[in-house]
Amino acid sequence: MSDDPLRRKPGKGRPAIWASGGQRPPFDLRALGRATLHLSRAGVAPIHAWAARGLRRAAINVKNGVGRIPAGKLGRAERFVPSHLRVAAWVKTLAATLSHASATADEDVARGNALVAEIAPHLWQEASPAPEPAPAAEPSEVPPVTLPEPEPVEDDPLASIRGDLGGKAKASAPAIPIPPAAPPAPPGPLAEGAIQVSGYLIGWASVFVALPYGLGRSLWLWANGRDLKTIGLED
């Protein structure tokens, strides 16, 4: 066996992956777990944010009457069908829940809070009070006008006919229109708490469902020479 004439150790002064002959960084199981969780959260949070913004736009469209079914086409089923205002409130509640889910999955706290603040405003904001109308000018005093009393008619052959027509006109008077449905009130403290808890649970449940995706992508990055310890630090 021949010795190195310069008595140098093999691989001295070169990176470890070059000295060992491999092209991949050292495999670290703990770093793999952190990278898997980071990539899973990074993949889930934008999906929830996109869905929350889309649902809020849909709620505004429904509130403005898009897709509303006229009452005449519903017939007797009208009493069982919720109003379009209530449907818009339901869609907006779902959007708020998904915004909390996105904020839970997103590691960027400021970005998650900004999304929640974007979706949170109520669809029916309180309008500013209208200005009071100016008082009307006092009319000038006008002397009363005395009208002559009508002369009594002895015999009116058309009186009975006019009475019958008047009765029919009263019978066929138009019905009082039904007032439009009032917009739902904003959610109270209990409903807000339920929305936040539901979003928290949905956010973490979706992250755990996406763990296989994060694991596969982490292994793919490691196989292509990416150090798992650096994943997530660049953010």
Side-chain angles (χ1 to χ4, degrees):
M1 180 177 65
S2 60
D3 296 332
D4 188 355
L6 299 179
R7 299 184 180 277
R8 292 182 302 179
K9 295 182 180 180
K12 184 179 180 180
R14 292 187 296 171
I17 58 173
W18 292 1
S20 60
Q23 296 297 323
R24 300 185 185 91
F27 184 81
D28 189 345
L29 192 60
R30 184 174 299 179
L32 175 65
R34 288 195 300 266
T36 298
L37 182 60
H38 171 79
L39 293 175
S40 300
R41 297 179 68 175
V44 163
I47 297 177
H48 287 315
W50 171 80
R53 291 190 176 96
L55 286 174
R56 180 170 176 82
R57 288 193 298 268
I60 294 174
N61 292 334
V62 173
K63 183 198 73 169
N64 295 333
V66 175
R68 182 182 180 185
I69 303 175
K73 293 184 179 181
L74 295 175
R76 296 182 179 180
E78 181 182 1
R79 66 182 68 180
F80 304 107
V81 177
S83 65
H84 70 289
L85 301 180
R86 187 160 298 278
V87 173
W90 291 343
V91 176
K92 191 266 175 185
T93 300
L94 181 57
T97 303
L98 291 181
S99 70
H100 283 284
S102 177
T104 300
D106 198 346
E107 293 181 340
D108 191 335
V109 178
R111 182 169 54 195
N113 292 338
L115 175 66
V116 171
E118 176 186 348
I119 305 298
H122 191 46
L123 293 178
W124 294 271
Q125 298 290 346
E126 294 184 1
S128 57
E132 297 182 358
E138 296 182 358
S140 59
E141 295 184 0
V142 179
V145 179
T146 305
L147 298 177
E149 296 182 0
E151 298 181 357
V153 180
E154 296 180 356
D155 268 337
D156 189 3
L158 301 178
S160 60
I161 298 177
R162 282 197 297 268
D164 294 341
L165 292 177
K168 291 180 181 178
K170 291 180 181 179
S172 61
I176 300 176
I178 300 175
L190 184 60
E192 286 288 351
I195 290 173
Q196 293 179 13
V197 172
S198 301
Y200 178 83
L201 296 177
I202 292 175
W204 278 116
S206 59
V207 169
F208 287 129
V209 170
L211 284 178
Y213 160 78
L215 177 62
R217 189 172 179 198
S218 299
L219 293 175
W220 175 260
L221 293 175
W222 175 76
N224 285 274
R226 179 77 175 273
D227 190 357
L228 296 177
K229 296 179 181 179
T230 63
I231 295 179
L233 299 180
E234 65 273 9
D235 297 337

